[in-house]
Amino acid sequence: MGRVAQGDQGALRQIYEREAARLHGVALRIVRRPEVAADALHDAFLQIWRNAGAFSTGMGSAAAWMTSIVRYRALDAARRMGRESLTDTIPDAADDAPDPLRALEDARDAAGVTRCLHRLDEKSRRAIVLAFVEGLSHGQVAERLATPLGTVKSWIRRGLSSLKECLAA
């Protein structure tokens, strides 16, 4: 990553050749469309090229850093897909609403998560919401909360453990 930060295109090419298939898979799992995943991967590698100097080993491994960039580019693409109409045809008037039992189940699940989130201490709840609802990386959460990265990671880990216990009860 250091060579990429110095503008070494060959180093970026090597990283791309080694990581592109795995990172494309990450994007594809999020967007579910190969062409959109490819666009997200392209955008991510542009961001990696531009921001390689911002990477430090204190943030974790380079592979994890690149994965988070791809993940956020794919999430952005998925959000855009949700706002755009991808066809010129008018959809059929078929009832696409979920069946009532499934809707009730989903509502119960959401209520359980909300209930359990409110049982967490404020710091853990805020860190988890920033990371998993707003899609921020642990580093970005640490910046937003003006808190050391290790502390944020601990809050999230303990909070997720508490959520798991609460939801299992």
Side-chain angles (χ1 to χ4, degrees):
M1 199 54 64
R3 288 179 32 218
V4 174
Q6 295 172 352
D8 186 342
Q9 293 178 358
L12 182 67
R13 184 177 300 110
Q14 287 175 345
I15 291 172
Y16 181 85
E17 289 170 356
R18 187 175 60 235
E19 298 289 334
R22 181 183 64 81
L23 294 173
H24 184 265
V26 169
L28 188 58
R29 278 191 298 268
I30 294 169
V31 298
R32 306 268 186 227
R33 293 182 45 201
E35 69 278 5
V36 177
D39 287 345
L41 183 65
H42 177 264
D43 292 346
F45 267 93
L46 286 174
Q47 185 175 350
I48 290 165
W49 173 252
R50 286 190 299 260
N51 298 326
F55 171 75
S56 76
T57 55
M59 297 184 335
S61 71
W65 181 70
M66 291 187 303
T67 301
S68 68
I69 291 172
V70 169
R71 181 175 171 265
Y72 296 119
R73 294 294 64 83
L75 288 169
D76 287 345
R79 287 185 198 109
R80 281 192 308 272
M81 283 180 1
R83 291 190 298 255
E84 296 173 356
S85 174
L86 300 175
T87 64
D88 292 333
T89 61
I90 298 173
D92 293 337
D95 183 12
D96 291 333
D99 67 85
L101 290 177
R102 180 68 185 165
L104 180 60
E105 229 174 69
D106 290 346
R108 284 185 189 152
D109 290 345
V113 170
T114 301
R115 176 181 49 81
C116 292
L117 268 173
H118 287 292
R119 289 186 179 176
L120 296 177
D121 63 275
E122 177 61 29
K123 294 173 184 176
S124 291
R125 179 175 48 251
R126 181 77 175 133
I128 288 172
V129 168
L130 287 171
F132 294 97
V133 176
E134 294 187 25
L136 300 180
S137 70
H138 287 69
Q140 291 168 326
V141 172
E143 282 181 30
R144 175 91 53 97
L145 299 178
T147 304
L149 179 61
T151 303
V152 166
K153 287 181 176 183
S154 294
W155 289 346
I156 291 173
R157 185 176 51 252
R158 284 193 305 263
L160 290 175
S161 178
S162 296
L163 280 176
K164 182 179 178 182
E165 289 175 21
C166 178
L167 290 170

